[in-house]
């Protein structure tokens, strides 16, 4: 029922035209029809491939692809100069049913499955437009509210966030605390039934445009460990003492608004506490695997985009009297890249299936994030090389993909931390 509502809301114009993208099927020896995997498809971005998806997902993907190609791609260069996308885009995404896709209907979300969310993540990367912070808003911020919020908080914020009228952000990182969440210094002190919040955060995606920020703060400095004294708070734009600093100038993600946030004696009512007091660290640990899976899937989708962009380029670029695609060196490099990407895609798709079944553990999510984001950077470097000097020009999509990829091994927990988490699970006595 939820999936049907997702389709009817997001795809009404498409379905009215009778559009239904064909799945790419292969016939087995038993005469069964199975979907092609990306390794045997015409391109790595074909609609109708990959066994984890259904024909309903294909219809949704067709609509999402159309949205990004028509409502995002033509305006992205303008947003890169502005350092942010438009508010109008957020509301258009809400009208199209692209926000809160995996949030249940009873909470005010769309009610689609995780794979439908993955379609949105991937299609954004397929147009090479990193500006809209939809994935963080929908699949990192909103689940905290849906999973740990009170009825009042859910009813107040989730429908508005699904509509794109309330933009969400999460403020974990501080100038002195990045991957080490137990090093947080932002502090909320009890004052009667209220809380007084002080501190600062940095590198906050959606920070400049945010209407609602989940703030990670220490609430018990006497706890036996920092993990036992952290809480989450909902801070709204316009609250007295909530100050947005400058939009940070980054080497990539130019259209994504990333900001410093300051909290100066903000008085928060008891209703601003998200979940239980001093349980924030545990909520973060429970939700981080999805964030890391999201990064991994977007990294693989970016690899697929970069490969196709480079394949098209080498088939057109001429040197020594023929296209460089005829050079064996180039052919072997493309073979290596495609193989690496398809191997990575198989693992990430497996992780998507595990998470849909609520079986993705922290260690496996860390493997996906570390492996896929490292691969993304490797693919970006090699694809720029295959473009030659033109790959270094900002007007070429591969140049933007190259600089955008560099942050992937850093945020969501650095890849060094990912290896620590994986290793800990290997050596621990179970």
């Amino acid at each position: 029922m939820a999936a049907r509502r997702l389709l009817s809301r997001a795809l009404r114009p498409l379905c009215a035209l009778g559009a239904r993208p064909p799945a790419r099927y292969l016939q087995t020896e038993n005469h069964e029809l199975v979907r092609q995997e990306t390794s045997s498809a015409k391109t790595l971005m074909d609609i109708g491939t990959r066994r984890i998806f259904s024909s309903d997902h294909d219809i949704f993907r067709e609509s999402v692809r159309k949205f990004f190609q028509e409502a995002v791609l033509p305006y992205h260069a303008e947003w890169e100069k502005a350092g942010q996308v438009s508010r109008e885009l957020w509301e258009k995404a809400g009208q199209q049913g692209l926000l809160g896709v995996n949030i249940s209907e009873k909470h005010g979300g769309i009610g689609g499955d995780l794979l439908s969310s993955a379609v949105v993540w991937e299609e954004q990367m397929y147009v090479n437009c990193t500006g809209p912070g939809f994935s963080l808003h929908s699949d990192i911020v909103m689940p905290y509210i849906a999973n740990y919020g009170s009825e009042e908080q859910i009813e107040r914020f989730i429908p508005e966030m699904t509509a794109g009228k309330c933009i969400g952000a999460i403020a974990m990182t501080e100038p002195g605390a990045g991957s080490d969440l137990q090093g947080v210094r932002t502090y909320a002190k009890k004052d009667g039934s209220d809380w007084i919040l002080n501190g600062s955060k940095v590198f906050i995606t959606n920070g400049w445009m945010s209407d609602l920020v989940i703030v990670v703060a220490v609430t018990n400095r006497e706890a036996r460990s920092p993990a036992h004294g952290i809480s989450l708070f909902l801070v709204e734009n316009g609250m007295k003492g909530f100050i947005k600093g400058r939009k940070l100038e980054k080497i990539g993600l130019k259209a994504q608004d990333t900001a410093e946030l300051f909290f100066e004696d903000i008085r928060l009512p008891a209703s601003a506490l998200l979940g239980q007091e001093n349980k924030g660290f545990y909520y973060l640990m429970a939700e981080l695997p999805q964030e890391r899976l999201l990064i991994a899937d977007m990294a693989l989708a970016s690899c697929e985009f970069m490969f196709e962009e480079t394949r098209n380029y080498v088939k057109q670029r001429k040197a020594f009297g023929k296209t460089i695609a005829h050079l064996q060196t180039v052919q072997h490099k493309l073979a290596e890249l495609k193989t690496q990407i398809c191997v990575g895609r198989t693992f990430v798709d497996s992780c998507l299936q595990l998470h849909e079944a609520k079986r993705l553990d922290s260690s496996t999510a860390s493997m996906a994030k570390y492996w896929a984001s490292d691969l993304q950077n490797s693919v970006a470097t090699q694809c720029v090389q295959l473009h030659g000097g033109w790959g270094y020009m900002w007007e070429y999509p591969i140049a933007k993909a190259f600089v955008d990829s560099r942050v992937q091994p850093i945020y969501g927990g650095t890849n060094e931390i990912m290896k620590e988490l994986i290793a800990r699970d290997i050596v621990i006595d179970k």
Side-chain angles (χ1 to χ4, degrees), residues 225-239:
S225 77
H228 291 87
I230 287 176
S231 302
L232 305 182
F233 292 91
L234 297 175
V235 177
E236 298 176 63
N237 188 34
M239 283 184 163

Side-chain angles (χ1 to χ4, degrees), residues 272-313:
L273 178 67
L274 182 61
Q276 297 181 41
E277 182 180 339
N278 297 324
K279 294 292 185 182
F281 187 79
Y282 302 100
Y283 300 151
L284 293 169
M285 292 304 101
E287 298 300 321
L288 279 171
Q290 176 157 307
E291 178 177 350
R292 287 161 184 166
L293 175 61
L294 180 158
I295 293 170
D297 192 36
M298 295 183 84
L300 250 298
S302 176
C303 289
E304 290 159 345
F305 165 81
M306 290 187 287
F307 177 83
E308 295 301 339
E309 191 72 18
T310 303
R311 187 220 298 252
N312 291 336
Y313 178 81

Side-chain angles (χ1 to χ4, degrees), residues 62-257:
E62 186 83 3
S63 175
V64 177
R65 183 166 295 189
K66 188 173 186 287
F67 176 85
F68 277 109
Q69 288 176 341
E70 295 182 359
V72 178
L73 184 58
Y75 310 101
H76 203 259
E78 175 187 329
W79 295 331
E80 286 172 353
K81 294 174 184 175
Q84 66 182 78
V85 304
S86 67
R87 277 201 166 264
E88 180 186 12
L89 175 68
W90 280 89
E91 294 193 21
K92 282 182 179 178
Q95 291 164 6
Q96 189 73 9
L98 305 188
L99 303 176
V101 170
N102 192 216
I103 302 297
S104 70
E105 287 183 273
K106 70 177 182 180
H107 288 152
I110 297 297
D113 60 5
L114 176 79
L115 297 178
S116 297
S117 283
V119 166
V120 181
W121 309 338
E122 292 167 9
E123 289 302 320
Q124 180 169 349
M125 303 313 290
Y126 288 167
V127 292
N128 198 35
C129 294
T130 53
F134 297 161
S135 58
L136 179 130
H137 168 91
S138 296
D139 301 297
I140 297 176
V141 177
M142 291 179 74
Y144 280 98
I145 300 172
N147 294 338
Y148 310 113
S150 65
E151 273 190 45
E152 178 191 352
Q153 290 168 336
I154 290 169
E155 289 175 5
R156 183 177 176 193
F157 296 116
I158 294 292
E160 289 290 290
M161 296 177 83
T162 302
K165 295 179 179 178
C166 174
I167 299 173
I170 184 164
M172 300 187 207
T173 305
E174 300 183 359
S179 294
D180 179 18
L181 287 174
Q182 297 190 56
V184 166
R185 294 289 176 267
T186 297
Y187 180 54
K189 180 182 179 181
K190 206 75 176 282
D191 184 35
S193 62
D194 292 346
W195 295 89
I196 307 298
L197 180 68
N198 282 282
S200 65
K201 301 290 182 177
V202 72
F203 310 141
I204 307 306
T205 301
N206 292 346
W208 182 259
M209 296 184 71
S210 62
D211 300 298
L212 180 70
V213 183
I214 298 175
V215 179
V216 178
V218 174
T219 45
N220 183 2
R221 287 175 168 167
E222 309 303 319
R224 64 179 185 270
S225 77
H228 291 87
I230 287 176
S231 302
L232 305 182
F233 292 91
L234 297 175
V235 177
E236 298 176 63
N237 188 34
M239 283 184 163
K240 186 178 179 181
F242 179 23
I243 301 167
K244 295 180 180 179
R246 61 195 173 95
K247 281 184 283 189
L248 300 172
E249 190 172 351
K250 311 177 295 295
I251 64 170
L253 307 182
K254 295 287 191 180
Q256 194 176 100
D257 63 301

